[in-house]
Amino acid sequence: MTEVVLTKRHETQSRYWLEITLNRPDKLNAFTDEVFAGLRAALTEAADDDISAVVLTGAGRGFCAGQDLASRDPRIHDDLPDLGETLRKNYNPIITMIRGLNKPVICAVNGVAAGAGANLVFACDIVLAARSAKFIQSFAKIGLIPDAGGTHSLVQALGPLRSKAWAMTAEPLSAEMAQGWGLVYQCFDDDVLMDKAREMAAELARGATLGLAEIKHAMHHAVDATMEDQLNYEADAQVRCGASHDHHEGVMAFLEKRPPQFTGKA
Ligand code: LHQ
């Protein structure tokens, strides 16, 4: 049977990064129980200490079309589905795993990202998109609200008014518009997206991983913090970074006018 989620380890100067590919291309990589299980396993692999960066992408012409609606076909299932259970069991742990990873997660959005597939993108740390990609908050079309963390990440990125308008209209947003709105970091021609994502992953994988993880968690923490809380958080995080081998190495490399040799270790 075809694997619905693929993982591939890449090496760069004795450091490793993991490429995760959603692989149900004929259904635009829509989520099924099998995809959830595969993605959970892939993210567990991504948490390994020897993996320093992650790329998440989709096979074929789509990134992910959200929940597989065929598995919700009311003509087959006449009982009301418990969507809360679906979210708690499947989507929420995946979003929490991505946000909790102590390393950067790049999302390479190769095509359409709809519903929970779009919000999976916005749980990642760096979003790169193919120019042909588009983003759709499809939920309103089927009487639902944005899930998989969408109400949180959209309001943070866009503010409440634009978030509500986008979610209520469920209009497709082009990659370039999404970049203008701050949802995408960089857009690339379709044929170079994966090269660019892999280049960035390799670069990050050779980096000061502990410091990169601290950047990620500090930004997450800032969302709900006051300036005073955040100043204290920064001071605590900087103690951890300042004690690391990579901080020492970064400063030495600067002073000795040479490239740093980071280990990613504390
Ligand atoms: C699909 C899907 C799909 C199955 C394309 N399912 N087959 C929901 C419910 C439960 C619990 C909690 O959370 C959620 C979260 C959600 O994600 S809700 C949102 C669910 N997703 C959608 O509503 C999006 C539905 N898909 C679309 O609107 C379109 O397919 C988009 C705009 C994504 C792409 O349009 P096209 O480029 O025109 O492609 P297509 O529609 O022809 O799709 C290609 C194939 O993929 C097709 O299969 P077929 O066998 O006919 O070739 C579609 O049926 C299949 N597909 N999305 N979500």
Side-chain angles (χ1 to χ4, degrees), residues 179-226:
Q179 186 180 22
W181 284 14
L183 293 169
V184 166
Y185 182 59
Q186 285 173 332
C187 289
F188 296 104
D189 290 342
D190 291 25
D191 57 343
V192 299
L193 171 73
M194 288 314 296
D195 288 345
K196 294 290 184 184
R198 289 173 183 141
E199 245 169 55
M200 184 184 270
E203 176 80 29
L204 289 169
R206 293 190 296 270
T209 313
L210 180 137
L212 297 178
E214 292 285 1
I215 291 173
K216 167 171 178 164
H217 298 309
M219 299 295 181
H220 292 171
H221 184 268
V223 172
D224 300 314
T226 62

Side-chain angles (χ1 to χ4, degrees), residues 148 201 207 236:
D236 291 342

Side-chain angles (χ1 to χ4, degrees), residues 6-263:
L6 307 172
T7 57
K8 183 168 184 218
R9 271 175 193 241
H10 296 258
E11 195 245 324
T12 172
Q13 295 175 12
S14 306
R15 308 285 301 277
Y16 295 90
W17 59 274
L18 189 71
E19 185 167 322
I20 303 175
T21 307
L22 305 174
N23 187 38
R24 287 187 74 216
D26 52 334
K27 299 293 174 191
L28 305 180
N29 305 315
F31 284 114
T32 58
D33 286 350
E34 223 186 327
V35 174
F36 290 127
L39 188 51
R40 273 196 305 271
L43 291 169
T44 303
E45 185 179 351
D48 284 357
D49 280 346
D50 66 337
I51 298 289
S52 300
V54 179
V55 171
L56 174 62
T57 192
R61 72 175 178 89
F63 171 73
C64 176
Q67 176 71 35
D68 187 308
L69 295 177
S71 65
R72 302 260 156 207
D73 187 341
R75 295 165 301 185
I76 300 169
H77 309 281
D78 50 5
D79 51 326
L80 280 177
D82 181 346
L83 299 193
E85 195 205 337
T86 306
L87 292 181
R88 289 197 181 89
K89 194 172 129 207
N90 296 317
Y91 288 100
N92 297 3
I94 283 168
I95 300 304
T96 303
M97 282 171 98
I98 292 173
R99 300 227 339 152
L101 282 175
N102 290 323
K103 58 205 74 180
V105 180
I106 299 168
C107 193
V109 190
N110 52 299
V112 65
N119 294 336
L120 174 67
V121 174
F122 306 134
C124 297
D125 303 314
I126 300 176
V127 180
L128 307 180
R131 277 188 225 288
S132 72
K134 58 185 174 174
F135 299 85
I136 315 174
Q137 294 291 323
S138 319
F139 307 90
K141 289 189 184 165
I142 53 170
L144 296 180
I145 67 160
D147 56 24
T151 55
H152 194 266
S153 41
L154 294 189
V155 168
Q156 251 182 285
L158 308 178
L161 281 173
R162 195 172 252 181
S163 298
K164 285 186 284 185
W166 189 32
M168 287 178 179
T169 60
E171 282 172 340
L173 192 69
S174 69
E176 274 163 5
M177 281 285 285
Q179 186 180 22
W181 284 14
L183 293 169
V184 166
Y185 182 59
Q186 285 173 332
C187 289
F188 296 104
D189 290 342
D190 291 25
D191 57 343
V192 299
L193 171 73
M194 288 314 296
D195 288 345
K196 294 290 184 184
R198 289 173 183 141
E199 245 169 55
M200 184 184 270
E203 176 80 29
L204 289 169
R206 293 190 296 270
T209 313
L210 180 137
L212 297 178
E214 292 285 1
I215 291 173
K216 167 171 178 164
H217 298 309
M219 299 295 181
H220 292 171
H221 184 268
V223 172
D224 300 314
T226 62
M227 175 59 106
E228 198 182 344
D229 286 343
Q230 195 62 14
L231 288 170
N232 282 318
Y233 184 98
E234 287 173 2
D236 291 342
Q238 213 66 302
V239 168
R240 296 188 287 273
C241 293
S244 69
H245 165 276
D246 286 344
H247 169 62
H248 180 261
E249 168 61 9
V251 175
M252 289 296 286
F254 174 78
L255 296 175
E256 292 170 2
K257 300 188 189 301
R258 60 171 174 81
Q261 294 292 318
F262 291 126
T263 65

